[in-house]
Amino acid sequence: MTRIFSGIKPTGHMTLGNHLGAVRRWVETDQYLGESLFCVVDLHSLTVEHEPARLLRLSRQTATLLLAAGLDPAVCTLFVQSHVDEHARLSYVLECTATDGEMRRMIQYKEKSEQARAAGEGVRLSLLTYPVLMAADILAYGTAEVPVGDDQTQHVELARDLAVRFNQRYGQTFVVPRATKPAVAARVMDLQEPTSKMGKTNAATGGVVFVLDEPDVVRRKVMRAVTDSGSTVEYDPEGRPGVSNLLEVLAACGGGEPDELAGAYTSYGALKRDVAEAVVELLRPVRERHAALAADPGYVDGVLREGAARARAMARPTVDAAYRAIGLLPAG
């Protein structure tokens, strides 16, 4: 059976971009394709400055939203990364397989280290090495497919490289995974800065629609979205990024192709109104289900506890095999 792994960082409130670019596909497709694992990767949140209490709240909220969106614990495995020790165990072994040069070439390290220095903060060593932890997340489970957005494909390539290198040096141990990407809305852009990704940690939230935003807030953000010069509605991601982003969101919410949808509109205002209502209706059942689940934290805790137990049982044989292969003395 094909094993699928994907994770989401609890570094901020879940956005429309997270939902359309990843979570909806997990719910509608990926959890049914094989033995699927979905993880709240809280350890990755420690690579930059953070507030412990906020991380705790966001980790629970993220797990609750994944259930609210439709992940079914009877079908897939949902858990929190730090609840399964095998992630950290394997990460160090893979650090002994990776090179300093590989880490420093990672795009996100370059971007986030520059941001930290600009803010007068120190750059944590974990920011350099966390792609190896991400590789451990994937390889520990014998993962064959990793559903990711465009900005994460480099990390899956690193996991592939480390798996191949480890297998060549120490014997066949890991499955070599591959990245899979959704066809539409893989990368939803900020409504105010349509050349930038809609991110959870964006300080200016006017262009970021959050899954738990009230309907009127969603409408206001969409209606204030930046479009482009001119007045015609055309799908041209390079030349008209603002209106093209709106068309992609509309296509992802209701179906159809962005370039075909463009022909139905003669004004930006009409397009924005339809996008706003489509987003409100898309998120409405998720918000309602989240409210019900948040009122029953014992249920969410039970799902995460059982998920961690299943994940641990899946990962331990592979991690133990990696320890033996690299020459570590087995525990008595």
Side-chain angles (χ1 to χ4, degrees):
M1 182 179 292
T2 300
R3 193 166 285 176
I4 298 167
F5 178 95
S6 200
I8 184 169
K9 278 195 297 186
T11 50
H13 298 288
M14 193 181 295
T15 71
L16 175 67
N18 300 134
H19 186 78
L20 290 178
V23 174
R24 192 172 68 166
R25 178 180 171 177
W26 298 354
V27 168
E28 295 179 353
T29 303
D30 292 330
Q31 68 173 329
Y32 302 107
L33 290 180
E35 200 166 25
S36 302
L37 300 101
F38 302 102
C39 183
V40 179
V41 286
D42 54 344
L43 294 175
H44 292 294
S45 300
L46 307 182
T47 60
V48 295
E49 292 292 334
H50 71 283
E51 298 176 10
R54 184 171 186 267
L55 173 59
L56 188 64
R57 289 195 305 272
L58 289 174
S59 296
R60 176 178 292 280
Q61 183 188 91
T62 301
T64 305
L65 276 171
L66 292 175
L67 290 170
L71 287 185
D72 184 349
V75 174
C76 65
T77 299
L78 174 63
F79 67 104
V80 175
Q81 181 188 31
S82 62
H83 295 177
V84 180
D85 294 344
E86 278 64 29
H87 292 254
R89 286 182 62 207
L90 183 56
S91 182
Y92 181 74
V93 167
L94 293 179
E95 283 185 13
C96 298
T97 309
T99 67
D100 176 77
E102 284 176 313
M103 298 299 98
R104 296 188 185 278
R105 287 193 295 271
M106 302 301 288
I107 294 171
Q108 290 202 16
Y109 172 71
K110 294 178 181 178
E111 293 176 349
K112 291 183 179 180
S113 61
E114 289 174 1
Q115 292 170 2
R117 293 187 185 97
E121 301 170 354
V123 179
R124 300 185 181 188
L125 179 61
S126 57
L127 184 62
L128 178 66
T129 60
Y130 92 90
V132 178
L133 176 58
M134 187 178 291
D137 299 338
I138 297 167
L139 299 181
Y141 296 99
T143 304
E145 296 182 2
V146 187
V148 292
D150 293 338
D151 58 334
Q152 295 294 335
T153 53
Q154 188 183 36
H155 290 126
V156 180
E157 288 303 314
L158 175 68
R160 289 174 56 85
D161 291 343
L162 294 180
V164 169
R165 188 178 307 153
F166 191 98
N167 290 346
Q168 291 174 342
R169 289 180 180 175
Y170 307 114
Q172 188 65 35
T173 305
F174 298 118
V175 173
V176 180
R178 67 184 182 91
T180 59
K181 292 184 285 187
V184 177
R187 191 176 172 91
V188 177
M189 312 308 280
D190 190 293
L191 297 178
Q192 291 297 316
E193 299 180 16
T195 57
S196 300
K197 178 185 173 184
M198 184 181 285
K200 294 192 296 292
T201 56
N202 194 332
T205 60
V208 179
V209 175
F210 298 105
V211 173
L212 293 179
D213 277 346
E214 294 291 335
D216 285 347
V217 174
V218 173
R219 293 186 183 100
R220 183 167 61 251
K221 289 179 177 179
V222 175
M223 294 306 295
R224 293 176 178 175
V226 169
T227 48
D228 311 286
S229 59
S231 58
T232 58
V233 177
E234 299 176 15
Y235 182 65
D236 178 6
E238 293 296 324
R240 310 285 294 279
V243 70
S244 295
N245 186 40
L246 291 172
L247 288 165
E248 288 197 0
V249 170
L250 184 61
C253 288
E257 295 296 327
D259 54 347
E260 295 175 359
L261 290 172
Y265 295 94
T266 58
S267 71
Y268 292 154
L271 172 62
K272 287 181 177 181
R273 284 191 292 273
D274 282 359
V275 171
E277 292 309 313
V279 173
V280 166
E281 291 308 312
L282 177 79
L283 298 182
R284 188 186 304 279
V286 181
R287 291 177 57 252
E288 292 173 353
R289 176 66 172 153
H290 174 269
L293 289 168
D296 187 8
Y299 171 76
V300 177
D301 287 344
V303 168
L304 296 177
R305 185 168 53 250
E306 293 174 9
R310 289 201 300 269
R312 198 175 299 119
M314 291 183 211
R316 184 164 293 167
T318 298
V319 177
D320 285 349
Y323 269 50
R324 290 193 299 270
I326 207 169
L328 296 176
L329 185 67

